[in-house]
Amino acid sequence: MAGLAVSASPAPAPASFRPAAAASRFGPCAQVAGPAANFRTRVCGLRCLIAAKLKFRKTLKRHGWQLRKNLEVRANDKVPDWLEATPLTENIMSRDVQLAYDSGGETSNTCPDTLDSSVIEQSSMHHKLNPSETHPPVLKEDPVLFDDPPESAAPLCIAVIGATGELAKNKVFPALFALYYSGFLPQNVGIFGYSRKTLTDEDLRSMIEANLTCRVDHHENCDEKLNEFLKRTYYIDAGYDNKDGMVKLNSRMSQIEGNCAANRIFYLAVPQEALLDVALSLADSAQTMQGWNRIIIEKPFGFTGLSSHRVTQSLLSRFEEEQIYRIDHLLGKDLIENLTVLRFSNLVFEPLWSRTYIRNVQVIFSEETAAEIQGRYFGNYGIIRDIVHSHILQTIALFAMEPPVSLDGEDIRDEKVKVLRSIRQVNLEDVVLGQLKDTSVKVDRYTKSLTPTYFAAAMYIDNSRWDGVPFLIKTGIGLMENRAEIRIQFRHVPGNIYRERFGHDIDLDTNELILRDQPEEAILLKVNNKVPGLGLQLDASELNLLYRDRYNVELPDSYEHLLLDVLDGDSHLFMRSDEVAAAWNVLTPLIHEIDQNRIAPELYEAGGRGPVNAYYLAAKHGVRLDDEW
């Protein structure tokens, strides 16, 4: 059989295909002489397929739409002779190539034991050379939008443990439906509700349907998508033994998955006291053995540093660190994601991000509602363990970290934990505790409790970038408005020749950058400028980027963002075990001192600004509070 030269390039070969010309152009990988070279030729073609497949998966990871890959084989649909082989090892490779063709470049969802034998037989056949079949396959990427992922995607099962709770009904299931509507969940997905209540599949569907709505930009085919989602929702009656319940869950999931490799996500929307029993039971009885398993754990992460360490050690005895996703829905806000984008992708800000130019940083989070008071806040957790440990300290870590090596989750978490370990021990005199007054008939209901509902503190990061810069944090509930923002106040301009134009308040000439999530999403920059007209009158004005004016879209809920990150395996917004421990090391000595001295929080009125002492604390550390900016 005469020698034949082939090209690994995706471009089609010309009709006058000559071995010598091809060999000289494409190098040794393209030159084939006799049957012994068939294997080398096929390896080159397979390498092209693998490269394209990896590129496809990288694109798929971050987008709900999918690229259709069309493999066009000239003359006919059969694999050409130059990809066939007679040895046993080559037959196996030929079968793999054929499967890749049949699935459009993705791994087929057909299990090996159910594979059509004709495909394998066809792959092992050796045809005689036909000039019309000498052209290699052309790999084309056709960006076609799909409502549903291709059937070749691995099955995915998502179990919501504690499915009848308020968190699951109001947040988790609506977020999953939004992802399903947008095409971020595979077509062969199964949603499982797990609880101790005696319900049927239809009962669960009716319960969650009451809270499922489409966003403004999701109205097209909303009812159709809703019905499809509900049909993929199933209920598991766990009973009172989680070990037996997880066996039932595993059995039901296996029915959906079949015998193929499948992936599973477990959202543990359960109280902290039930966390370990549920987690260890599912580790033993509900994990898939043919794909990846990921568990999502809700905050707060422990009650003290010691209890958190015990929980962590128990989890790590059954799970790998990369399987555990500790979720804080406040970290799924666009404010947090935009924090690093604004800093690391804008040259105008990156050089200013240090003690040289920044005078202080304020991290503010407040809520109007006091509905949670009768839950965890007055259930001995309090706002320090619930909000400060995760949300506030994670925000500071993302703000103050050094540039990571890459956007990989582990690289970002490496930098965050360095910041947390550098935070100076907080002194009690730099802390203000507050408690919302009880306006109900039972006046003494909360006065006997010392659990704070408001917390303010001045923190310092002892490293070369932030030495001496106060980070003032303020968080509370029952205040005058919902507010979530980061305020960066810059230093005065050295030798400012316009200083006298600002009058006695020299703080008016201070530039300020505000990153705001509530009451409305915005980026605000305070600058000094001349008031139009005669004379020289200066004014502090704002350069505004209001999201509602710039972007005509409805922002997804933070749970959608974080659940999509779990699907993608992106962990940068989730706390790693050493981050949890480092955060507790910051707060545990302070909590012990508060408890031992029985520090009484300052009472404040509902709908107000919070404790008055917070303003004295800010003045003590040179921080100007400008609530009406």
Side-chain angles (χ1 to χ4, degrees), residues 414 416-424 461-462 576 578-579 581-583 585-586:
D414 287 343
K416 286 195 298 177
V417 76
K418 292 177 184 178
V419 174
L420 294 174
R421 289 174 176 170
S422 300
I423 295 178
R424 184 189 308 172
I461 301 173
D462 291 333
R576 201 168 58 190
D578 54 348
E579 288 184 82
N585 288 339
V586 173

Side-chain angles (χ1 to χ4, degrees), residues 26 61 66 144 159 175 183 299 327 428 456 506 517 530 544:
F26 298 108
K61 179 180 179 182
Q66 305 197 6
V144 179
K299 65 179 178 67
I327 191 171
L428 194 58
I506 62 173
D517 183 75
K530 176 185 175 298
N544 298 337

